[in-house]
Amino acid sequence: MSHSGTTLILIMAIAVLAPLLAYGAGRWLPVPLVIFEILLGIVVGPDLLGWAKPDALVDGLSELGLTMLIFLAGYEIEFGKVRGDTLRRSGWAWGAALALGLTAGVLLGGGYDKGVFIGVALTSTALGTVLPVLRDAGDLHGRFGSVVMAFGAVGEFGPIIAMALLLSGRNPAESTALLAAFAALTAGAVYWALKPRRPWFARIIAKTLHSSGQFAVRFVFLLLALMLGASTALGLDVLLGAFAAGLITRLVLTGAAPESGPQILEKVEAVGFGFLVPVFFVVTGIEFDLDSLLAGGRTLLLLPLFLVLFLVVRGAPVWFLAPRDLGRRDRGSLVLYSSTALPLVVAITTIGVDDEALTAGEAAALVGAGMVSVLAFPLLALRLRARAGGGPALPAEPVTGSESW
């Protein structure tokens, strides 16, 4: 059997085993599923058992998995809950984090070329990882969940913009012009999405939803392909297109088929979380440079340092700019959720290693810190929320954005 076939079998075996392990561990401690996927990927990867080896096919599926993860994160954004003062606060918090991150990155990296990769990675939030935790805890649709969603959305979208501006290798003026062009395309798509759909559109969605036609699911993936194509044509990162596609898809389905929307999302999530997203996380483990991390010296010391910097760079601005109606424990939980990072850290460090700006050891330390954050921070946030009374105890936020600074 080819290396691709063997590796794919191992990846899917891990994808099946990981939920069983997460379920078993959940009796004592709720461990995020992604941790088992990455750790098992490390075990079967080249640095330990050596059973799995990535190649072009596996890497392609992994990139699709990351794209789907970002798409689903974009789909989860509820505009009525993230606009207003909370959204402004989240934007200012991310801007402050970027300034802190670039400063820390330049100091650690000894220069801008390396520091920019470290700095942008430190500002990211793993919204796609945090949302399932919030959903399972019953917090997603309350006031606290809407605040986490706002801060997490900016923490997901902001680094993608920064990647396009700072990590593309183009001069800032050219990058800004291309981003403006993409923003115009996205605005046009949003305008189209908000227009009322003709009755036949909803009828064909309902008629084919449980048939082999699957019009709605195919339409969703067409929107995704179009936005990915637009971002690629403009020389921008495909993650920008994936996130925008998620936002647009939600607007289209909410307006055209509100009754079928949840069922359509379930089908898309089945493709994403059932196949593509696990491939991404398992391949992340397979490609993790464990030897470089365990070689000792500066590389090993960087892991706990980066973990602390996630809290300081991303978390400190969130603490000071969180909405005033959040109590201290809820504010602390918001800091922990916002400081949880991994998918974009993997994407940014991959670019950094390919550009020879980051060493394999530095990339492993950043990804390792992201793995620890995914394991530790949501658990600590859940404990803080439980002590604060648990659940969505705060009232829903008015969509008028009436909060004051």
Side-chain angles (χ1 to χ4, degrees):
M1 185 179 293
S2 67
H3 286 307
S4 293
T6 302
T7 300
L8 280 175
I9 291 173
L10 287 170
I11 288 172
M12 296 318 300
I14 290 172
V16 171
L17 179 59
L20 299 177
L21 295 175
Y23 176 78
R27 300 177 182 178
W28 300 279
L29 188 69
V31 181
L33 177 64
V34 60
I35 294 298
F36 290 106
E37 292 170 343
I38 294 176
L39 290 179
L40 290 172
I42 293 174
V43 170
V44 302
D47 289 344
L48 288 181
L49 296 179
W51 294 348
K53 297 179 181 178
D55 57 17
L57 174 61
V58 172
D59 285 341
L61 289 173
S62 176
E63 290 176 7
L64 284 175
L66 176 59
T67 299
M68 181 58 67
L69 185 67
I70 301 302
F71 169 83
L72 291 170
Y75 188 95
E76 288 281 4
I77 305 302
E78 298 182 42
F79 286 97
K81 293 185 177 182
V82 302
R83 62 189 184 185
D85 187 66
T86 297
L87 184 58
R88 287 192 294 272
R89 287 174 177 270
S90 62
W92 281 107
W94 185 81
L98 181 62
L100 289 173
L102 290 176
T103 301
V106 169
L107 291 175
L108 275 175
Y112 180 81
D113 290 343
K114 179 176 294 187
V116 66
F117 287 93
I118 296 174
V120 174
L122 292 174
T123 68
S124 66
T125 296
L127 183 61
T129 304
V130 166
L131 288 180
V133 178
L134 287 171
R135 186 187 296 113
D136 293 344
D139 283 340
L140 182 59
H141 299 293
R143 166 66 172 140
F144 179 75
S146 69
V147 173
V148 174
M149 190 177 295
F151 278 80
V154 176
E156 193 93 67
F157 193 64
I160 294 174
I161 296 293
M163 289 169 66
L165 282 172
L166 304 176
L167 308 183
S168 63
R170 293 185 294 264
N171 65 69
E174 182 183 358
S175 296
T176 302
L178 290 173
L179 274 175
F182 183 80
L185 285 173
T186 303
V190 168
Y191 174 77
W192 171 80
L194 291 174
K195 292 179 66 176
R197 305 265 81 78
R198 295 185 179 276
W200 66 265
F201 191 83
R203 285 199 300 271
I204 196 169
I205 285 178
K207 187 173 182 179
T208 62
L209 191 59
H210 302 289
S211 72
S212 60
Q214 296 293 324
F215 170 77
V217 177
R218 299 182 186 195
F219 182 77
V220 167
F221 283 108
L222 173 61
L223 286 178
L224 176 58
L226 287 172
M227 295 309 296
L228 293 180
S231 59
T232 302
L234 292 171
L236 301 173
D237 195 286
V238 294
L239 300 185
L240 186 62
F243 196 87
L247 297 174
I248 294 166
T249 300
R250 184 182 189 92
L251 292 175
V252 171
L253 296 183
T254 300
E259 302 85 2
S260 304
Q263 298 177 65
I264 298 169
L265 178 60
E266 286 179 3
K267 292 174 179 289
V268 176
E269 284 184 332
V271 177
F273 293 126
F275 175 45
L276 292 173
V277 174
V279 171
F280 165 68
F281 284 120
V282 175
V283 171
T284 296
I286 292 172
E287 296 182 340
F288 186 78
D289 197 337
L290 187 63
D291 285 344
S292 295
L293 183 63
L294 298 181
R298 179 177 181 270
T299 299
L300 191 58
L301 293 176
L302 282 176
L303 192 154
L305 177 59
F306 284 141
L307 186 64
V308 172
L309 284 175
F310 281 134
L311 284 172
V312 173
V313 170
R314 182 73 180 111
V318 170
W319 173 270
F320 288 109
L321 288 167
R324 292 179 177 177
D325 61 333
L326 262 62
R328 290 181 62 86
R329 294 188 186 277
D330 282 337
R331 191 179 293 247
S333 297
L334 176 62
V335 166
L336 289 164
Y337 280 129
S338 300
S339 302
T340 302
L342 186 61
L344 286 179
V345 174
V346 175
I348 292 167
T349 54
T350 299
I351 297 172
V353 171
D354 290 343
D355 291 350
E356 298 183 354
L358 295 177
T359 66
E362 290 165 337
L366 261 171
V367 173
M371 290 168 58
V372 176
S373 77
V374 168
L375 176 61
F377 291 171
L379 297 181
L380 293 174
L382 287 172
R383 289 183 180 274
L384 277 178
R385 283 283 290 159
R387 291 179 182 178
L394 295 168
E397 178 189 19
V399 298
T400 55
S402 60
E403 301 166 17
S404 64
W405 280 86

